[in-house]
Amino acid sequence: MLKISITGALAAFLIFHDSGPAFSQTDSLQARELREVTVHAFESEKDPLTTTATVGMLTPRTLGRFSNYTWANAVNTIPGVRMEERSPGSYRFSVRGSLIRSPFGVRNVKFYWNGIPFTDASGNTPLNSVDYGAIQSMEVIKGPGSSIYGAGTGGVVLMQSRPDNEFQNRVEQSVSFGKYGFQSRNSTLQIGDISVQYGHSEQDGYRNHSGMVRDAIRFTSSSSIGEKGTLSLLGMYSDLYYQTPGGINLAQYQTDPKLARQSTATVPGSEAQKAAIYTRLALLGGNYVLQLSDKWTQSTALYLTFTDFANPFISNFEKRDENGVGGRNIWQNKSEWGNIKTNWTSGFEWQYGKSAQRNYDNKGGVADKQQTVEDIRTTNLSVFSQLEATLLTDLTLSAGLSYNTSKYKYERYFPLPFNQDQKTFDGIFIPRFAANKVIAGNWSVTASYSGGFSPPTLQEVRPSAGGFRKDLEAEKGNNTEVGIRKAGKVISGEISLYHFGLRNAIVRRLDEGGAEYFVNAGKTKQNGVEWNINWDILSDPKLPVMLKLWNTGTYTKYTYEEFRQADSDLSGKLIPGIPRFSQSTGLDVLLKYGISAFLTYQHGDSFYLNDANTVKNTAYNQWMARVSWKKSWGQHFYSELSASAEKVNAGIYSLGYDLNAFGNRYYNGAPKNNLWAGVKIGWEWQKNSK
């Protein structure tokens, strides 16, 4: 409790200290006006002080505090958000929630990329197929976003890949190296608002059987169509391979944390079965925005995806061929009625996916005797409308409502007899109400109530062993939240308190062979406090040094309210995978001549690894440092040299635990120290004017 009290006292001092006019610095050591930063959450363009949403921002500068091998360290500085990489390429992403629904991949968090749905119809997000350099910023909406973003209780992420300056031409090449065989290459060509980026990343991995190779190319463009239209295009192709070492038990971890899952007398291990993921993903999308009049805007986003997936696993060899199509249509009206400004947004989002799934026996990484042949078609629809009104410039009210429905159609061709089934999640109306009041020009108070609706994903209704679990019900939840924000040229910050109640919570189980399946776990009660503070100690660019100190943190209590497992009543138990307390503290140092240093300290408390609350991990303390030197050599050529290091103190350290693991195989060992170094060179020319 002492560390919580110290952090809370620091937060109280920094936020409630009066620091003058309404200015804020959010992504730079130079003081910038708060209104230069725009929050796009819930299709509203607001500054961070007046938005009715609770949002975490990752900008190019905040991403630049860390090495360029993963987003995880940067994402984990956002309070209430957790990103894990159990082994290279195996991502998990959680917003204010448990990771027990995500044995691999990203589930129950809705992603959009340049305004185009990136989460597919079945609720899965292929984030690990995206190269690190392809994303320039993320906006993380915390709490359910179903009132305007469709199904999901775990939050929304808006990703952006756009040139920093669309009137600049450049060619850029970067190369990075690190421990455990890490290397990456990134090439970028930008001609005005057209950008092509290719990234290659590979590493041997810290653990046995944890290598990864990824090649990805990304294309973006934005062009004027007529006098009032803009067409933005997004294309991506990714080829990803990574080995899956699997979890080990405590005795094995203590013997050698680098071990992959070991063979037993009845079940072979990961290395013997050459367990791995092979994914080829192609995405093509476009977003057309038409300014119909001074008040009306209409936008339409469409996408196509093609996925070739293979997973030799312990118990089987799974192959999937998947196609997806979908879109999002929005009509927006912005009007003024005296002292009242209104923003009315209405539209719909529709998605369809087909997955042809084949399971075989796995003979040392080779598909053998056929086990199952199944097809699943997924359709979901969300229709939404939201009205936002700003009264007297300092009071913003927002009310939204959506109608959501989802359906799975299942066909089994083998083993015979042929079977046909379906599961429909009945249409449900989801509301959201929010208010923001600005006080004294640089303070604001925000309150919101929102609902969420999250059907099981494709990998939950059809787990890796095959079959169709139509008994699974959709999660439904309600979130109540209040927050206080402070904007200032020197001090800025935010404190939020929330209560989230979830019904029919979906949790993961593993059988003896390691295959997962999912069950509904009754009700949960999730309470939390989040904060972030930014203190520009020295921000005058004329000084020889600029300093910024920042702190973010979370304190939670997540419990099962009603949950029975066989003959055990687990009501009141803490939900596994959620630390009660976590925080990040950083110091940004900018010196003359383009030299900068970023120091970060992260702490995470221990948490339970199973529903019965009988097994815990250990707390960790992590120190990270990055230094860089940026230099312009004349008008065209520029370069950057960087080096990064990490050091962890922990009894047991894992970048992701297998919760409720069969045979107590909870642990995925991770390195307690790491090093990286990189160089970037570029040539820019012909800075065109408008």
Side-chain angles (χ1 to χ4, degrees), residues 16-331:
F16 291 101
H17 173 73
D18 187 12
S19 58
F23 293 91
S24 173
Q25 181 276 312
T26 59
D27 66 343
S28 171
L29 288 174
Q30 298 179 355
R32 300 176 60 189
E33 289 191 16
L34 181 65
R35 283 168 172 74
E36 291 181 2
V37 180
T38 302
V39 178
H40 300 90
F42 293 99
E43 304 295 341
S44 174
E45 296 185 356
K46 291 284 188 178
D47 60 62
L49 186 65
T50 61
T51 180
T52 62
T54 303
V55 179
M57 305 284 287
L58 287 183
T59 65
R61 185 170 297 276
T62 53
L63 289 171
R65 289 173 175 150
F66 305 95
S67 60
N68 64 343
Y69 85 102
T70 180
W71 291 299
N73 290 332
V75 168
N76 290 338
T77 64
I78 302 175
V81 183
R82 180 68 182 172
M83 185 174 181
E84 296 183 348
E85 191 170 6
R86 296 183 304 165
S87 59
S90 180
Y91 292 164
R92 298 198 292 184
F93 197 109
S94 172
V95 182
R96 289 183 176 174
S98 173
L99 291 165
I100 52 181
R101 281 189 68 178
S102 301
F104 64 89
V106 180
R107 306 177 185 178
N108 200 32
V109 178
K110 195 72 176 288
F111 278 71
Y112 294 83
W113 190 355
N114 289 2
I116 299 168
F118 189 57
T119 299
D120 65 23
S122 65
N124 293 308
T125 303
L127 188 60
N128 55 0
S129 291
V130 182
D131 183 76
Y132 179 90
I135 305 297
Q136 278 74 58
S137 66
M138 290 185 185
E139 189 172 316
V140 183
I141 304 170
K142 293 184 276 188
S146 296
S147 65
I148 204 166
Y149 295 108
T153 61
V156 181
V157 179
L158 309 178
M159 305 189 300
Q160 292 291 337
S161 298
R162 302 189 188 280
D164 296 334
N165 183 350
E166 62 182 8
F167 304 102
Q168 172 183 305
N169 304 323
R170 66 185 172 111
V171 59
E172 185 176 278
Q173 178 67 48
S174 64
V175 179
S176 300
F177 298 92
K179 292 184 67 175
Y180 311 111
F182 172 80
Q183 58 177 293
S184 69
R185 302 184 295 275
N186 196 287
S187 307
T188 302
L189 173 64
Q190 177 189 334
I191 305 297
D193 55 15
I194 299 175
S195 175
V196 179
Q197 181 259 340
Y198 164 74
H200 171 85
S201 179
E202 64 178 87
Q203 52 185 306
D204 299 330
Y206 167 75
R207 297 177 64 193
N208 301 339
H209 196 70
S210 62
M212 185 273 284
V213 179
R214 178 178 56 224
D215 290 277
I217 186 168
R218 182 264 299 166
F219 166 84
T220 58
S221 71
S222 181
S223 305
S224 296
I225 306 295
E227 295 182 357
K228 297 184 177 181
T230 302
L231 176 63
S232 300
L233 297 178
L234 169 65
M236 184 194 78
Y237 176 78
S238 174
D239 188 346
L240 170 66
Y241 160 74
Y242 63 94
Q243 297 170 328
T244 53
I248 57 178
N249 61 37
L250 181 59
Q252 292 165 343
Y253 180 92
Q254 292 173 335
T255 300
D256 183 0
K258 295 184 178 182
L259 289 174
R261 174 174 170 170
Q262 300 295 287
S263 298
T264 68
T266 57
V267 180
S270 297
E271 292 174 282
Q273 289 290 68
K274 297 184 179 179
I277 299 289
Y278 301 80
T279 302
R280 294 184 177 91
L281 170 67
L283 164 71
L284 178 62
N287 192 0
Y288 178 64
V289 180
L290 180 62
Q291 188 73 41
L292 298 171
S293 67
D294 292 339
K295 297 181 178 180
W296 283 96
T297 303
Q298 190 265 350
S299 65
T300 301
L302 299 172
Y303 74 88
L304 293 169
T305 59
F306 305 91
T307 304
D308 180 6
F309 177 91
N311 176 205
F313 184 59
I314 301 297
S315 56
N316 58 35
F317 194 121
E318 181 185 9
K319 291 187 176 183
R320 301 201 308 258
D321 290 314
E322 298 178 328
N323 302 319
V325 61
R328 183 173 175 86
N329 181 262
I330 297 174
W331 294 77

Side-chain angles (χ1 to χ4, degrees), residues 626-641:
R626 185 175 188 267
V627 294
S628 68
W629 175 44
K630 298 180 180 180
K631 174 69 175 177
S632 294
W633 307 84
Q635 295 183 346
H636 301 289
F637 183 67
Y638 60 91
S639 65
E640 179 183 0
L641 298 175

